[in-house]
Amino acid sequence: MSRGEREWRVEPDALVTRGASGHERRYPWRNIVSVRLCHEPTRAKPWRYVFELQPKHERKIEIDNGHFLGGGKFEDRSATYTPFVRAALAQLAVENPKVQALIGETPKRYFFLLLLALIGLCMLAFALVAVRTPLDALPFANLVKLGVILLMLPLFWGWVIRAMPRGVPLDAIPERALPPSS
């Protein structure tokens, strides 16, 4: 918990933060090696969007559109968050054009979610084969079950491909990566 509000500014040469004590810290744009934008809701902040920047040889910077008011209450500051993120991305594109933005999950988290989804698909297919149903009395029941399993596979792989984390150029950030405008 901080003693006061933290301010973030986009300047031509760096991302600047000022704490409640007045101490300023600068993160030069040329030192930013990766950017990630995603919708990461929590129970208290279902509208939460996150902007992550990874400077070279430093801790990851995570900025979200929520402001802590106290006692589990948060204020949605999307109205100022979205222009701030767009300005930071524009400045980063000028100073460090090789950087791309990752939209969505991190590759490591995506791998574990994919593994869980694959286990779930296998369990569903096994349950379909192993559990007795009234359909089993029919002579073609096994073919119907096999057909259902085969129909699940393209749906599963379609989800896998759509959910895959991808890098996008900083000037082509999709609307889903930022809070909807109200």
Side-chain angles (χ1 to χ4, degrees):
M1 301 303 291
S2 61
R3 286 176 245 127
E5 197 165 336
R6 176 169 296 280
E7 174 188 310
W8 291 93
R9 287 190 323 268
V10 173
E11 293 188 356
D13 63 329
L15 176 66
V16 180
T17 180
R18 178 185 294 210
S21 65
H23 176 71
E24 269 194 10
R25 179 150 186 175
R26 303 178 72 76
Y27 299 95
W29 296 119
R30 68 182 178 282
N31 290 346
I32 304 295
V33 293
S34 69
V35 173
R36 179 173 165 250
L37 292 161
C38 64
H39 180 225
E40 224 170 62
T42 64
R43 189 179 344 197
K45 299 186 278 185
W47 36 260
R48 182 176 185 247
Y49 282 78
V50 177
F51 178 44
E52 288 181 1
L53 297 122
Q54 179 63 59
K56 250 188 261 183
H57 312 297
E58 292 188 47
R59 283 183 37 204
K60 175 175 48 176
I61 302 165
E62 190 173 289
I63 304 168
D64 71 8
N65 62 335
H67 174 66
F68 181 70
L69 296 173
K73 292 185 172 49
F74 296 89
E75 176 184 15
D76 181 3
R77 291 204 174 163
S78 295
T80 55
Y81 169 83
T82 301
F84 166 77
V85 170
R86 289 201 185 279
L89 291 172
Q91 197 60 44
L92 184 59
V94 168
E95 294 292 321
N96 200 348
K98 292 182 182 178
V99 173
Q100 287 197 333
L102 180 66
I103 306 299
E105 299 297 342
T106 62
K108 187 188 301 183
R109 188 168 175 190
Y110 173 76
F111 172 76
F112 286 112
L113 289 172
L114 179 62
L115 193 61
L116 285 173
L118 188 58
I119 290 169
L121 179 70
C122 290
M123 288 174 48
L124 185 62
F126 177 76
L128 190 61
V129 171
V131 174
R132 303 289 298 163
T133 65
L135 181 69
D136 290 336
L138 299 173
F140 53 85
N142 289 336
L143 288 176
V144 170
K145 287 183 177 186
L146 179 64
V148 169
I149 292 170
L150 290 176
L151 283 175
M152 288 190 303
L153 290 176
L155 295 174
F156 175 75
W157 288 114
W159 172 82
V160 166
I161 290 170
R162 277 192 314 276
M164 187 180 305
R166 291 183 177 86
V168 298
L170 297 178
D171 59 352
I173 301 296
E175 289 299 317
R176 66 182 171 84
L178 294 168
S181 25
S182 38

PDB file of all heavy atoms in Angstrom, residues 129-152:
ATOM      1  N   VAL A 129     -17.284 -41.961 -23.954  1.00  0.00           N
ATOM      2  CA  VAL A 129     -17.102 -43.366 -24.324  1.00  0.00           C
ATOM      3  C   VAL A 129     -17.445 -44.293 -23.160  1.00  0.00           C
ATOM      4  O   VAL A 129     -18.081 -45.336 -23.351  1.00  0.00           O
ATOM      5  CB  VAL A 129     -15.645 -43.604 -24.803  1.00  0.00           C
ATOM      6  CG1 VAL A 129     -15.358 -45.078 -24.985  1.00  0.00           C
ATOM      7  CG2 VAL A 129     -15.389 -42.843 -26.084  1.00  0.00           C
ATOM      8  N   ALA A 130     -17.047 -43.941 -21.950  1.00  0.00           N
ATOM      9  CA  ALA A 130     -17.170 -44.846 -20.809  1.00  0.00           C
ATOM     10  C   ALA A 130     -18.545 -44.857 -20.149  1.00  0.00           C
ATOM     11  O   ALA A 130     -18.972 -45.890 -19.631  1.00  0.00           O
ATOM     12  CB  ALA A 130     -16.115 -44.494 -19.765  1.00  0.00           C
ATOM     13  N   VAL A 131     -19.242 -43.741 -20.148  1.00  0.00           N
ATOM     14  CA  VAL A 131     -20.536 -43.664 -19.453  1.00  0.00           C
ATOM     15  C   VAL A 131     -21.626 -44.266 -20.338  1.00  0.00           C
ATOM     16  O   VAL A 131     -21.730 -43.943 -21.518  1.00  0.00           O
ATOM     17  CB  VAL A 131     -20.861 -42.193 -19.087  1.00  0.00           C
ATOM     18  CG1 VAL A 131     -22.248 -42.071 -18.505  1.00  0.00           C
ATOM     19  CG2 VAL A 131     -19.827 -41.644 -18.129  1.00  0.00           C
ATOM     20  N   ARG A 132     -22.406 -45.144 -19.747  1.00  0.00           N
ATOM     21  CA  ARG A 132     -23.506 -45.781 -20.473  1.00  0.00           C
ATOM     22  C   ARG A 132     -24.646 -44.783 -20.664  1.00  0.00           C
ATOM     23  O   ARG A 132     -25.004 -44.047 -19.744  1.00  0.00           O
ATOM     24  CB  ARG A 132     -24.033 -46.996 -19.699  1.00  0.00           C
ATOM     25  CG  ARG A 132     -23.000 -48.050 -19.381  1.00  0.00           C
ATOM     26  CD  ARG A 132     -22.515 -48.836 -20.558  1.00  0.00           C
ATOM     27  NE  ARG A 132     -23.605 -49.571 -21.181  1.00  0.00           N
ATOM     28  CZ  ARG A 132     -23.563 -50.069 -22.386  1.00  0.00           C
ATOM     29  NH1 ARG A 132     -22.486 -49.920 -23.118  1.00  0.00           N
ATOM     30  NH2 ARG A 132     -24.577 -50.725 -22.894  1.00  0.00           N
ATOM     31  N   THR A 133     -25.195 -44.763 -21.871  1.00  0.00           N
ATOM     32  CA  THR A 133     -26.327 -43.894 -22.188  1.00  0.00           C
ATOM     33  C   THR A 133     -27.404 -44.728 -22.869  1.00  0.00           C
ATOM     34  O   THR A 133     -27.129 -45.846 -23.330  1.00  0.00           O
ATOM     35  CB  THR A 133     -25.896 -42.760 -23.151  1.00  0.00           C
ATOM     36  OG1 THR A 133     -25.520 -43.336 -24.392  1.00  0.00           O
ATOM     37  CG2 THR A 133     -24.766 -41.934 -22.583  1.00  0.00           C
ATOM     38  N   PRO A 134     -28.619 -44.199 -22.958  1.00  0.00           N
ATOM     39  CA  PRO A 134     -29.660 -44.937 -23.695  1.00  0.00           C
ATOM     40  C   PRO A 134     -29.289 -45.128 -25.165  1.00  0.00           C
ATOM     41  O   PRO A 134     -29.771 -46.049 -25.824  1.00  0.00           O
ATOM     42  CB  PRO A 134     -30.892 -44.040 -23.565  1.00  0.00           C
ATOM     43  CG  PRO A 134     -30.625 -43.157 -22.407  1.00  0.00           C
ATOM     44  CD  PRO A 134     -29.140 -43.030 -22.292  1.00  0.00           C
ATOM     45  N   LEU A 135     -28.416 -44.296 -25.668  1.00  0.00           N
ATOM     46  CA  LEU A 135     -27.967 -44.390 -27.054  1.00  0.00           C
ATOM     47  C   LEU A 135     -27.174 -45.681 -27.304  1.00  0.00           C
ATOM     48  O   LEU A 135     -27.121 -46.176 -28.429  1.00  0.00           O
ATOM     49  CB  LEU A 135     -27.103 -43.161 -27.380  1.00  0.00           C
ATOM     50  CG  LEU A 135     -26.534 -43.039 -28.775  1.00  0.00           C
ATOM     51  CD1 LEU A 135     -27.666 -42.775 -29.774  1.00  0.00           C
ATOM     52  CD2 LEU A 135     -25.521 -41.930 -28.826  1.00  0.00           C
ATOM     53  N   ASP A 136     -26.563 -46.232 -26.257  1.00  0.00           N
ATOM     54  CA  ASP A 136     -25.717 -47.423 -26.407  1.00  0.00           C
ATOM     55  C   ASP A 136     -26.485 -48.650 -26.906  1.00  0.00           C
ATOM     56  O   ASP A 136     -25.869 -49.589 -27.422  1.00  0.00           O
ATOM     57  CB  ASP A 136     -25.015 -47.755 -25.089  1.00  0.00           C
ATOM     58  CG  ASP A 136     -23.951 -46.733 -24.745  1.00  0.00           C
ATOM     59  OD1 ASP A 136     -23.453 -46.079 -25.682  1.00  0.00           O
ATOM     60  OD2 ASP A 136     -23.623 -46.581 -23.555  1.00  0.00           O
ATOM     61  N   ALA A 137     -27.796 -48.679 -26.769  1.00  0.00           N
ATOM     62  CA  ALA A 137     -28.585 -49.817 -27.228  1.00  0.00           C
ATOM     63  C   ALA A 137     -28.676 -49.863 -28.750  1.00  0.00           C
ATOM     64  O   ALA A 137     -28.955 -50.918 -29.323  1.00  0.00           O
ATOM     65  CB  ALA A 137     -29.988 -49.756 -26.619  1.00  0.00           C
ATOM     66  N   LEU A 138     -28.418 -48.740 -29.397  1.00  0.00           N
ATOM     67  CA  LEU A 138     -28.488 -48.698 -30.858  1.00  0.00           C
ATOM     68  C   LEU A 138     -27.232 -49.310 -31.472  1.00  0.00           C
ATOM     69  O   LEU A 138     -26.145 -49.230 -30.892  1.00  0.00           O
ATOM     70  CB  LEU A 138     -28.638 -47.241 -31.327  1.00  0.00           C
ATOM     71  CG  LEU A 138     -29.903 -46.520 -30.842  1.00  0.00           C
ATOM     72  CD1 LEU A 138     -29.842 -45.057 -31.218  1.00  0.00           C
ATOM     73  CD2 LEU A 138     -31.152 -47.176 -31.410  1.00  0.00           C
ATOM     74  N   PRO A 139     -27.349 -49.914 -32.648  1.00  0.00           N
ATOM     75  CA  PRO A 139     -26.193 -50.575 -33.251  1.00  0.00           C
ATOM     76  C   PRO A 139     -25.097 -49.604 -33.720  1.00  0.00           C
ATOM     77  O   PRO A 139     -23.939 -49.973 -33.828  1.00  0.00           O
ATOM     78  CB  PRO A 139     -26.788 -51.331 -34.445  1.00  0.00           C
ATOM     79  CG  PRO A 139     -28.096 -50.694 -34.705  1.00  0.00           C
ATOM     80  CD  PRO A 139     -28.567 -50.097 -33.418  1.00  0.00           C
ATOM     81  N   PHE A 140     -25.438 -48.359 -33.971  1.00  0.00           N
ATOM     82  CA  PHE A 140     -24.449 -47.390 -34.465  1.00  0.00           C
ATOM     83  C   PHE A 140     -24.023 -46.392 -33.379  1.00  0.00           C
ATOM     84  O   PHE A 140     -23.482 -45.330 -33.689  1.00  0.00           O
ATOM     85  CB  PHE A 140     -25.017 -46.639 -35.678  1.00  0.00           C
ATOM     86  CG  PHE A 140     -26.363 -46.004 -35.420  1.00  0.00           C
ATOM     87  CD1 PHE A 140     -26.455 -44.761 -34.847  1.00  0.00           C
ATOM     88  CD2 PHE A 140     -27.538 -46.694 -35.736  1.00  0.00           C
ATOM     89  CE1 PHE A 140     -27.686 -44.184 -34.604  1.00  0.00           C
ATOM     90  CE2 PHE A 140     -28.777 -46.114 -35.496  1.00  0.00           C
ATOM     91  CZ  PHE A 140     -28.854 -44.857 -34.925  1.00  0.00           C
ATOM     92  N   ALA A 141     -24.204 -46.727 -32.113  1.00  0.00           N
ATOM     93  CA  ALA A 141     -23.880 -45.823 -31.001  1.00  0.00           C
ATOM     94  C   ALA A 141     -22.402 -45.439 -30.988  1.00  0.00           C
ATOM     95  O   ALA A 141     -22.056 -44.279 -30.748  1.00  0.00           O
ATOM     96  CB  ALA A 141     -24.281 -46.450 -29.674  1.00  0.00           C
ATOM     97  N   ASN A 142     -21.529 -46.396 -31.230  1.00  0.00           N
ATOM     98  CA  ASN A 142     -20.095 -46.093 -31.203  1.00  0.00           C
ATOM     99  C   ASN A 142     -19.708 -45.100 -32.296  1.00  0.00           C
ATOM    100  O   ASN A 142     -18.868 -44.234 -32.094  1.00  0.00           O
ATOM    101  CB  ASN A 142     -19.276 -47.370 -31.346  1.00  0.00           C
ATOM    102  CG  ASN A 142     -19.367 -48.225 -30.104  1.00  0.00           C
ATOM    103  OD1 ASN A 142     -19.642 -47.713 -29.017  1.00  0.00           O
ATOM    104  ND2 ASN A 142     -19.152 -49.520 -30.257  1.00  0.00           N
ATOM    105  N   LEU A 143     -20.343 -45.216 -33.460  1.00  0.00           N
ATOM    106  CA  LEU A 143     -20.064 -44.263 -34.540  1.00  0.00           C
ATOM    107  C   LEU A 143     -20.549 -42.859 -34.181  1.00  0.00           C
ATOM    108  O   LEU A 143     -19.874 -41.864 -34.496  1.00  0.00           O
ATOM    109  CB  LEU A 143     -20.723 -44.728 -35.838  1.00  0.00           C
ATOM    110  CG  LEU A 143     -20.087 -45.940 -36.509  1.00  0.00           C
ATOM    111  CD1 LEU A 143     -20.901 -46.358 -37.724  1.00  0.00           C
ATOM    112  CD2 LEU A 143     -18.658 -45.641 -36.893  1.00  0.00           C
ATOM    113  N   VAL A 144     -21.704 -42.757 -33.535  1.00  0.00           N
ATOM    114  CA  VAL A 144     -22.224 -41.452 -33.117  1.00  0.00           C
ATOM    115  C   VAL A 144     -21.288 -40.823 -32.086  1.00  0.00           C
ATOM    116  O   VAL A 144     -20.943 -39.640 -32.178  1.00  0.00           O
ATOM    117  CB  VAL A 144     -23.663 -41.579 -32.574  1.00  0.00           C
ATOM    118  CG1 VAL A 144     -24.116 -40.279 -31.924  1.00  0.00           C
ATOM    119  CG2 VAL A 144     -24.620 -41.997 -33.673  1.00  0.00           C
ATOM    120  N   LYS A 145     -20.841 -41.622 -31.110  1.00  0.00           N
ATOM    121  CA  LYS A 145     -19.917 -41.097 -30.087  1.00  0.00           C
ATOM    122  C   LYS A 145     -18.600 -40.666 -30.725  1.00  0.00           C
ATOM    123  O   LYS A 145     -18.048 -39.618 -30.382  1.00  0.00           O
ATOM    124  CB  LYS A 145     -19.673 -42.148 -29.006  1.00  0.00           C
ATOM    125  CG  LYS A 145     -20.860 -42.350 -28.090  1.00  0.00           C
ATOM    126  CD  LYS A 145     -20.534 -43.346 -27.009  1.00  0.00           C
ATOM    127  CE  LYS A 145     -21.687 -43.498 -26.042  1.00  0.00           C
ATOM    128  NZ  LYS A 145     -21.345 -44.348 -24.906  1.00  0.00           N
ATOM    129  N   LEU A 146     -18.093 -41.465 -31.652  1.00  0.00           N
ATOM    130  CA  LEU A 146     -16.868 -41.098 -32.354  1.00  0.00           C
ATOM    131  C   LEU A 146     -17.076 -39.803 -33.140  1.00  0.00           C
ATOM    132  O   LEU A 146     -16.209 -38.924 -33.152  1.00  0.00           O
ATOM    133  CB  LEU A 146     -16.430 -42.228 -33.293  1.00  0.00           C
ATOM    134  CG  LEU A 146     -15.168 -41.961 -34.111  1.00  0.00           C
ATOM    135  CD1 LEU A 146     -13.962 -41.812 -33.187  1.00  0.00           C
ATOM    136  CD2 LEU A 146     -14.942 -43.056 -35.125  1.00  0.00           C
ATOM    137  N   GLY A 147     -18.229 -39.651 -33.769  1.00  0.00           N
ATOM    138  CA  GLY A 147     -18.543 -38.429 -34.512  1.00  0.00           C
ATOM    139  C   GLY A 147     -18.582 -37.211 -33.605  1.00  0.00           C
ATOM    140  O   GLY A 147     -18.079 -36.142 -33.965  1.00  0.00           O
ATOM    141  N   VAL A 148     -19.165 -37.361 -32.410  1.00  0.00           N
ATOM    142  CA  VAL A 148     -19.220 -36.247 -31.459  1.00  0.00           C
ATOM    143  C   VAL A 148     -17.807 -35.855 -31.027  1.00  0.00           C
ATOM    144  O   VAL A 148     -17.465 -34.668 -30.957  1.00  0.00           O
ATOM    145  CB  VAL A 148     -20.105 -36.608 -30.241  1.00  0.00           C
ATOM    146  CG1 VAL A 148     -19.958 -35.584 -29.133  1.00  0.00           C
ATOM    147  CG2 VAL A 148     -21.556 -36.739 -30.661  1.00  0.00           C
ATOM    148  N   ILE A 149     -16.972 -36.846 -30.758  1.00  0.00           N
ATOM    149  CA  ILE A 149     -15.583 -36.561 -30.358  1.00  0.00           C
ATOM    150  C   ILE A 149     -14.840 -35.866 -31.494  1.00  0.00           C
ATOM    151  O   ILE A 149     -14.116 -34.889 -31.277  1.00  0.00           O
ATOM    152  CB  ILE A 149     -14.865 -37.865 -29.935  1.00  0.00           C
ATOM    153  CG1 ILE A 149     -15.473 -38.391 -28.626  1.00  0.00           C
ATOM    154  CG2 ILE A 149     -13.370 -37.640 -29.767  1.00  0.00           C
ATOM    155  CD1 ILE A 149     -15.024 -39.774 -28.239  1.00  0.00           C
ATOM    156  N   LEU A 150     -15.023 -36.337 -32.715  1.00  0.00           N
ATOM    157  CA  LEU A 150     -14.349 -35.712 -33.856  1.00  0.00           C
ATOM    158  C   LEU A 150     -14.850 -34.292 -34.111  1.00  0.00           C
ATOM    159  O   LEU A 150     -14.095 -33.442 -34.577  1.00  0.00           O
ATOM    160  CB  LEU A 150     -14.518 -36.579 -35.102  1.00  0.00           C
ATOM    161  CG  LEU A 150     -13.748 -37.901 -35.089  1.00  0.00           C
ATOM    162  CD1 LEU A 150     -14.070 -38.714 -36.336  1.00  0.00           C
ATOM    163  CD2 LEU A 150     -12.259 -37.678 -34.952  1.00  0.00           C
ATOM    164  N   LEU A 151     -16.128 -34.013 -33.789  1.00  0.00           N
ATOM    165  CA  LEU A 151     -16.644 -32.645 -33.931  1.00  0.00           C
ATOM    166  C   LEU A 151     -16.074 -31.707 -32.872  1.00  0.00           C
ATOM    167  O   LEU A 151     -15.967 -30.507 -33.092  1.00  0.00           O
ATOM    168  CB  LEU A 151     -18.179 -32.650 -33.848  1.00  0.00           C
ATOM    169  CG  LEU A 151     -18.903 -33.126 -35.095  1.00  0.00           C
ATOM    170  CD1 LEU A 151     -20.403 -33.205 -34.831  1.00  0.00           C
ATOM    171  CD2 LEU A 151     -18.621 -32.208 -36.266  1.00  0.00           C
ATOM    172  N   MET A 152     -15.718 -32.263 -31.701  1.00  0.00           N
ATOM    173  CA  MET A 152     -15.139 -31.435 -30.634  1.00  0.00           C
ATOM    174  C   MET A 152     -13.727 -30.966 -30.999  1.00  0.00           C
ATOM    175  O   MET A 152     -13.304 -29.891 -30.594  1.00  0.00           O
ATOM    176  CB  MET A 152     -15.095 -32.204 -29.307  1.00  0.00           C
ATOM    177  CG  MET A 152     -16.434 -32.403 -28.671  1.00  0.00           C
ATOM    178  SD  MET A 152     -16.361 -33.058 -26.989  1.00  0.00           S
ATOM    179  CE  MET A 152     -15.468 -34.574 -27.159  1.00  0.00           C
TER     180      MET A 152
END
